[in-house]
Amino acid sequence: MLETFKLIRPRRRAARRARIIATAALVVVGLSLATPRPREAYGLPQEHAQKLNRLVAQSGSTPAMKVFAEGRDFLDNNEWAKAADRFQSFIKSYPKDKDVDAAYYWLAYTLNKQGRKQEAMSWLDRLLQEFPKSGWRDEAKALVVELGDPRAVRQAIDDKENNEIKLIALQSLLENSPERAMQYISEMLKSPNTSPQMRESVVSILGSHGGRQAVPILLQLARTDPSVRIRQTAIRRLGEDGGEAVIDDLRSIYQADRDAGVKAQVLRALSEMDSARAKALLLEVARNTTEDAGLRQTAIRRLGERHDTAVADLTQIYDADRSREIRAQILRAFSEMDDPRAAQKLVEAARSNEDPELRAFAIRRLGERNDETVVDELTRIFDAEQSGEIRAQILRAFSEMKSPRARAKLMEIARGAGDPTLRAFAIRRLAESGDSVQTVDVLSSLYDSERNMEIKVALLRGLGESGQKAALRKLMDVARRDPSVEMRKLAIRLVGESKDPEALKFLEELLKP
């Protein structure tokens, strides 16, 4: 549904909540940066990489672990040969160490990364034979399957419990024996014992590793499988790898299937193809006024994401269509294009008087472009505009731009002698969009010279939104000295919302007799 905008005061609680969330995000980032390698650094599931880090951390700083840790560090940088050298050195120098089984595994892993599969298999065989109770046994078995050992692959595919190993086996078999893999996949997809989640994973692996041989199976699944999710997965994979040859098939699936989600997946698949025919089909859906509005919007959005979509194509639809939702989607598509003609179409929509909601929508999208020419256009519209709501949307757009000139326009409105409601809105946008010392200085100076109580309230609230120490001190000064009791009361409430120790001390002093 098209967004609508009103001149309303943002709730302070929501703004504080946003700051808390942002602060929490920074804390999380800080912690993640301080924690050693908590990510999928080695091409394994994250828990395996974390398991390696725990082993290093818990084994202390012994000479043996120093060598092992050097291997881990080379792994982190994808320096496979150097990592293999370190693990080999560990095994040679410390053959009785309690962690030598881990060294066997990671040596095999690094050898495999270098394409030395037979050597890798040899070390894995040694690990499985010499260390039957190794904590790295499951990882070793999975790597044996990945390396394509026929017996291990067969056992993994027949495994009724470990689906993760089974999928690794299928992937390995697709790479080494596609015909056998296709046979197993067909059996698994037909079997009533295969779970829906497993079927979906099998189809995904088929699409990503099956190559051209997978296309007939994927097409059959996309056309006839009773599961919507399977049909969608097959269509997604066809869009990624099927190429020009499947475009007609995708079109027939779109026309025949009644599920909107499946149709939307076809549109997504077409959008990912570098094909003029795929683009033409998207345009056909976008233009079709008898088509479902949601699917038309999806087609337009997908067209906006393509590098080869002509602005003229979407402009033609925009000019011919009367639907607000369709026009809004086209404006959104224009906002995502680098073409100057798309920006100009947004400017035209922002100037037009025929639909205030579309004008507001276009203005908002222009504000996201951070283009100095857009600042000029929006300034001209603002100066000529009579509608307070449209002018407010332009101020909102200015506040979201990283342009000094846009910010200067906000300052001009905040300082001016015009409509108090619009001035208050500009002040709030200034306060919310910047926490610089300069902004605090401007708000404080305006407060001292202002006579309109509505504006003074907006200025105090703006200072309250700032995280600057100078803003807090200005509020405390108002709370102490302002001749207006109402302003002093508001300033005290805003100081009370701060967790700054200086604010708490100030409030305690106020309570003293």
Side-chain angles (χ1 to χ4, degrees), residues 223-243:
R223 289 189 184 105
T224 63
D225 197 274
S227 166
V228 168
R229 289 184 64 86
I230 292 296
R231 300 205 301 277
Q232 289 176 321
T233 301
I235 291 165
R236 183 176 73 249
R237 290 303 183 182
L238 285 166
E240 293 169 358
D241 302 305

Side-chain angles (χ1 to χ4, degrees), residues 286 296-297 300-301 304 311 313-321 323-337 342 345-346 361:
R296 290 185 68 200
Q297 290 179 64
I300 291 165
R301 183 174 75 252
V311 173
D313 292 325
L314 293 179
T315 297
Q316 186 180 41
I317 300 172
Y318 184 92
D319 292 341
D321 206 295
S323 164
R324 176 182 291 166
E325 288 74 19
I326 295 299
R327 287 184 144 202
Q329 189 63 62
I330 294 172
L331 293 177
R332 182 180 283 112
F334 284 148
S335 72
E336 294 170 358
M337 294 176 163
K345 193 63 183 176
L346 282 170
F361 189 78

Side-chain angles (χ1 to χ4, degrees), residues 295-418:
L295 289 170
R296 290 185 68 200
Q297 290 179 64
T298 298
I300 291 165
R301 183 174 75 252
R302 296 300 181 185
L303 283 165
E305 295 167 357
R306 292 178 64 93
H307 65 87
D308 60 349
T309 298
V311 173
D313 292 325
L314 293 179
T315 297
Q316 186 180 41
I317 300 172
Y318 184 92
D319 292 341
D321 206 295
R322 297 293 96 188
S323 164
R324 176 182 291 166
E325 288 74 19
I326 295 299
R327 287 184 144 202
Q329 189 63 62
I330 294 172
L331 293 177
R332 182 180 283 112
F334 284 148
S335 72
E336 294 170 358
M337 294 176 163
D338 292 331
D339 193 321
R341 292 172 299 174
Q344 186 56 41
K345 193 63 183 176
L346 282 170
V347 170
E348 290 175 13
R351 286 198 192 109
S352 169
N353 290 319
E354 62 184 39
D355 189 327
E357 289 191 28
L358 280 177
R359 292 187 68 198
F361 189 78
I363 289 165
R364 182 174 179 180
R365 292 298 172 177
L366 281 168
E368 296 170 357
R369 294 183 73 88
N370 284 315
D371 184 335
E372 287 300 318
T373 60
V374 168
V375 176
D376 294 332
E377 295 288 357
L378 289 179
T379 298
R380 280 192 284 270
I381 296 171
F382 182 92
D383 292 341
E385 184 59 48
Q386 299 301 314
S387 165
E389 186 170 340
I390 294 298
R391 298 186 104 198
Q393 293 312 311
I394 295 173
L395 294 181
R396 185 189 299 274
F398 282 150
S399 71
E400 293 171 355
M401 301 174 81
K402 293 180 173 61
S403 164
R405 292 170 58 232
R407 193 162 188 79
K409 187 65 176 178
L410 275 175
M411 294 280 194
E412 176 190 321
I413 301 305
R415 289 191 180 106

Side-chain angles (χ1 to χ4, degrees), residues 105-212:
Y105 172 75
W106 287 105
L107 174 57
Y109 180 84
T110 55
L111 290 169
N112 179 45
K113 283 293 187 179
Q114 298 175 74
R116 297 159 65 179
K117 296 184 182 297
Q118 291 302 319
E119 294 173 75
M121 187 68 79
S122 175
W123 282 105
L124 292 169
D125 286 341
R126 287 187 60 180
L127 190 161
L128 294 170
Q129 290 172 17
E130 296 175 21
F131 302 95
K133 296 182 179 180
S134 170
W136 294 93
R137 191 173 181 83
D138 289 342
E139 289 86 350
K141 287 182 176 179
L143 188 52
V144 168
V145 171
E146 185 179 332
L147 287 166
D149 178 77
R151 182 179 176 185
V153 169
R154 176 70 254 185
Q155 289 175 341
I157 289 177
D158 291 338
D159 192 326
K160 291 182 171 55
E161 296 182 358
N162 195 329
N163 284 340
E164 183 179 351
I165 292 293
K166 185 176 291 191
L167 292 172
I168 293 173
L170 280 176
Q171 181 176 327
S172 176
L173 205 57
L174 279 166
E175 293 171 353
N176 296 288
S177 181
E179 293 79 9
R180 289 177 60 206
M182 294 297 177
Q183 180 181 350
Y184 285 126
I185 286 171
S186 295
E187 292 173 1
M188 292 175 69
L189 291 174
K190 292 175 183 176
S191 172
N193 297 322
T194 306
S195 69
Q197 294 82 3
M198 187 62 177
R199 290 186 81 237
E200 191 173 342
S201 297
V202 169
V203 174
S204 186
I205 285 179
L206 173 64
S208 60
H209 293 83
R212 292 296 177 186

